[in-house]
Amino acid sequence: MESTPVSNERLDFGKMGYGCQHYRRRCQIRAPCCNEIFTCRHCHNEATNMLKNFCDRHEINRYDVKQVICAVCDTEQPVAQVCTNCGVTMGEYFCKICKFFDDDTAKGLFHCDDCGICRVGGRENYYHCKKCGSCYATSLLDNHLCVENSMCHHCPICYEYLFDSLKETNVMKCGHTMHGECYDEMIKRDKYCCPICSKSIIDMSKTWKRIDEEIEATVMPEDYSHRKVWILCDDCNDTTEVYFHIVGQKCSHCKSYNTRTIAPPVLPQ
């Protein structure tokens, strides 16, 4: 009867006291690809992607990890949550599918079967969007434009792969995705269009109104006052013929100034 508290104390020994900059865990992994030992797969990928010989660079497949080394007693053993030698829990959170360990359970870790990987934030706060192919916050349920496999590409700013990135991701109005910190930096630099599709990513109505006022106050020279051009609107994808103005060309359909001049359409013979 008295052995249970001792056992629990042993399980928790060293909790949050081991790990790396990525995770708190009481074990290391042996990479099956190069047979080297690292604290986590990110440590492995960062180290191998810095190798001088480009051909030696590689990334680990998390599912292929078979052996772990207890950080408390240095015993190498098959992947499991509890050390077979000293009895400590090598990760308060453990996923046998991803071979993933983490003592920091405050992150709200959970495994998504559809994504095939573990995520953070609490299962109750996320749902898996089948079309976008990733977990999104429940606030986006029926409240975003779906883009097929929108997370299965690289961030258009920093070019880090988004699907399993550790950084927070933003879903823009157009449905495309990018890192939250990259999004904020882009806004700081007064860039308000999606780098992928060029659609406006915030409400630009006040800006369009200011441009309306500037155009009204800027009289074009006589030679240009009746000149027309064809434009493509990046916000609604409509093409229209409008009067040219040096300040900008307004879409006749959605009233956006997020437009560009194009060649006139070729009429059928």
Side-chain angles (χ1 to χ4, degrees), residues 22-215:
H22 307 108
Y23 305 114
R24 296 283 87 195
R25 53 172 56 174
R26 285 163 279 174
C27 67
Q28 295 176 299
I29 60 173
R30 184 175 290 280
C33 43
C34 55
N35 205 37
E36 297 292 335
I37 296 173
F38 297 90
T39 305
C40 74
R41 67 183 183 88
H42 296 291
C43 291
H44 168 278
N45 294 344
E46 288 172 3
T48 56
N49 285 326
M50 292 293 288
L51 294 174
K52 290 183 179 181
N53 188 341
F54 187 82
C55 295
D56 291 334
R57 298 179 183 181
H58 63 281
E59 295 194 349
I60 192 172
N61 184 332
R62 73 186 81 193
Y63 310 110
D64 290 343
V65 174
K66 297 290 189 292
Q67 295 291 114
V68 295
I69 299 90
C70 176
V72 176
C73 69
D74 292 327
T75 301
E76 185 164 351
Q77 58 202 280
V79 172
Q81 185 172 19
V82 178
C83 176
T84 56
N85 182 54
C86 69
V88 301
T89 300
M90 292 186 282
E92 189 70 21
Y93 175 87
F94 170 66
C95 176
K96 63 181 180 180
I97 298 173
C98 297
K99 319 298 172 62
F100 178 63
F101 304 78
D102 200 341
D103 276 336
D104 187 4
T105 54
K107 296 176 182 176
L109 294 149
F110 67 97
H111 180 86
C112 174
D113 290 329
D114 290 314
C115 285
I117 62 174
C118 292
R119 297 202 176 277
V120 300
R123 188 184 299 276
E124 69 279 5
N125 299 318
Y126 287 84
Y127 79 102
H128 186 87
C129 179
K130 297 286 188 181
K131 186 170 183 180
C132 295
S134 185
C135 286
Y136 283 169
T138 51
S139 60
L140 291 174
L141 183 61
D142 300 324
N143 191 32
H144 74 284
L145 182 65
C146 285
V147 174
E148 191 167 358
N149 295 322
S150 63
M151 288 286 287
C152 298
H153 66 85
H154 298 81
C155 174
I157 302 298
C158 70
Y159 213 63
E160 180 185 340
Y161 192 59
L162 288 171
F163 184 73
D164 56 1
S165 173
L166 294 177
K167 301 174 184 176
E168 182 183 348
T169 302
N170 269 20
V171 182
M172 295 176 281
K173 286 172 58 178
C174 57
H176 291 119
T177 53
M178 65 192 299
H179 284 133
E181 60 184 38
C182 294
Y183 176 90
D184 293 340
E185 185 65 26
M186 188 173 72
I187 296 298
K188 285 180 185 177
R189 295 175 182 270
D190 299 328
K191 304 296 182 183
Y192 305 121
C193 296
C194 171
I196 298 173
C197 66
S198 297
K199 292 185 184 299
S200 299
I201 57 177
I202 62 172
D203 181 7
M204 298 292 289
S205 55
K206 291 183 179 179
T207 301
W208 302 157
K209 186 177 180 180
R210 287 198 298 270
I211 295 177
D212 281 339
E213 294 169 352
E214 188 175 352
I215 287 177

